[in-house]
Amino acid sequence: MQPCDQNWTHVTEFATLGFAEVHEMRLLFFTLPLTMYLFALVENLAIILVVGLDHQLRRPMYVFLTHLSCLEIWYTSVTVPKMLAGFTGGHGGKNISYAGCLSQLFIFTFLGATECFLLAAMAYDRYVAICMPLRYGALVSWGSCFHLSAACWLVGFLTPILPIYLMSRLTFCGPNVIDHFFCDVSPLLASSCSDVTLKETTDFLVSLAVLLTSSTVIAVSYGNIVWMLLHIRLAAERRKVLSTCAAHLTVVSLFYGTLFFMYVWTKVAPSINFNKMVSVFYSIVPPMLNPLIYTLRNKEVKGALGRAFSFRSWKGQ
């Protein structure tokens, strides 16, 4: 919180500073994120198209995967284009309206929370498939899959409502420069001249609720899977079980690992430039790697990709 000055005017728009300090390396910092962003878009669109077109992939596991890919496309598109636009400006910064800033923060938080719940739903799917295979069709039917996915999106949408409302009640009276490439919580609170104690407490409790709920479901699901693995004697069966959940477990580790650095480590060792670099990694790298993780070890998806994009399929043979 900054001390209020009667001579300051209320802020109606913000200027994101971006990476103004890397002016001489602007081309590299523009090209690398752009390439990764385009890769993320193409990969996730390919997953959505393949699962939608291939009848052999019409199963709950792959339905959850299409939801995740759709979310990743939106997630990167909320922040990355704005960051790239910052590199084209004269001083590395671009203006964003007050309403646009809050909207960007709302969508970013909404999608982040939804991903937590989607990963939890996918962990439950893996638990039922491995530990209760005979009841899988009943417990994870098309109806329950639809309801689980809809619940993830709904709860994710409700998550930022109170935090964003409290943010809208704060007074921003200058300077209007945000030392970041998008409207994140920390730089916005730093530029406010209101008491942000209630806002910070609410953010902490909401984030804690989302993380505890989703991580508990994931931990319990994989705890049961590990318990089952301990009772399997055949090495081949153990490898089969591990291969079934390896991709999801890798994605969960990547997501929560970057989340830890984003919201925990950066609080312990605060550095504006380091925070921005972690944000770039968090915004681009997981959405780019997740489709690769799910396809490299998945014969069904690789086979579907081959059928969908083979030359013969285009000729209708």
Side-chain angles (χ1 to χ4, degrees), residues 12-177:
T12 57
E13 67 176 15
F14 296 96
T16 54
L17 190 59
F19 292 90
E21 65 275 7
V22 295
H23 180 76
E24 296 181 355
M25 300 179 64
R26 180 179 297 178
L27 180 61
L28 174 63
F29 274 77
F30 176 84
T31 305
L32 185 59
L34 175 62
T35 303
M36 297 170 69
Y37 173 61
L38 293 177
F39 266 110
L41 291 183
V42 171
E43 291 165 358
N44 284 288
L45 281 173
I47 293 292
I48 294 172
L49 290 174
V50 166
V51 174
L53 295 174
D54 198 300
H55 293 283
Q56 298 182 31
L57 300 182
R58 299 290 177 84
R59 299 204 298 276
M61 169 183 164
Y62 297 109
V63 173
F64 286 127
L65 185 56
T66 58
H67 280 275
L68 184 64
S69 292
C70 183
L71 184 147
E72 301 285 26
I73 291 173
W74 292 353
Y75 195 75
T76 55
S77 299
V78 170
T79 57
V80 178
K82 186 67 179 176
M83 177 186 67
L84 296 174
F87 290 113
T88 64
H91 296 89
K94 289 292 181 180
N95 292 340
I96 182 171
S97 67
Y98 175 78
C101 190
L102 292 185
S103 298
Q104 185 184 54
L105 181 58
F106 180 93
I107 297 172
F108 185 77
T109 308
F110 153 49
L111 295 175
T114 303
E115 183 161 0
C116 288
F117 295 122
L118 271 176
L119 291 175
M122 294 172 77
Y124 170 74
D125 172 76
R126 293 299 81 206
Y127 156 68
V128 176
I130 293 171
C131 298
M132 295 182 286
L134 298 180
R135 300 182 60 192
Y136 182 78
L139 294 176
V140 192
S141 62
W142 281 105
S144 61
C145 181
F146 173 79
H147 290 130
L148 271 175
S149 301
C152 291
W153 287 98
L154 177 61
V155 178
F157 180 81
L158 295 176
T159 297
I161 289 180
L162 180 58
I164 296 301
Y165 170 76
L166 293 177
M167 181 72 80
S168 70
R169 305 298 297 174
L170 299 180
T171 301
F172 299 91
C173 43
N176 69 332
V177 176

Side-chain angles (χ1 to χ4, degrees), residues 3 7 68 80 88 128 144 184 200 208 236-237 260 263 265 270 276 312:
N7 295 324
L68 184 64
V80 178
T88 64
V128 176
S144 61
D184 201 4
E200 290 179 328
L208 186 64
E237 287 296 322
F260 172 81
Y263 292 106
W265 179 253
K276 286 190 286 187
R312 292 182 62 186

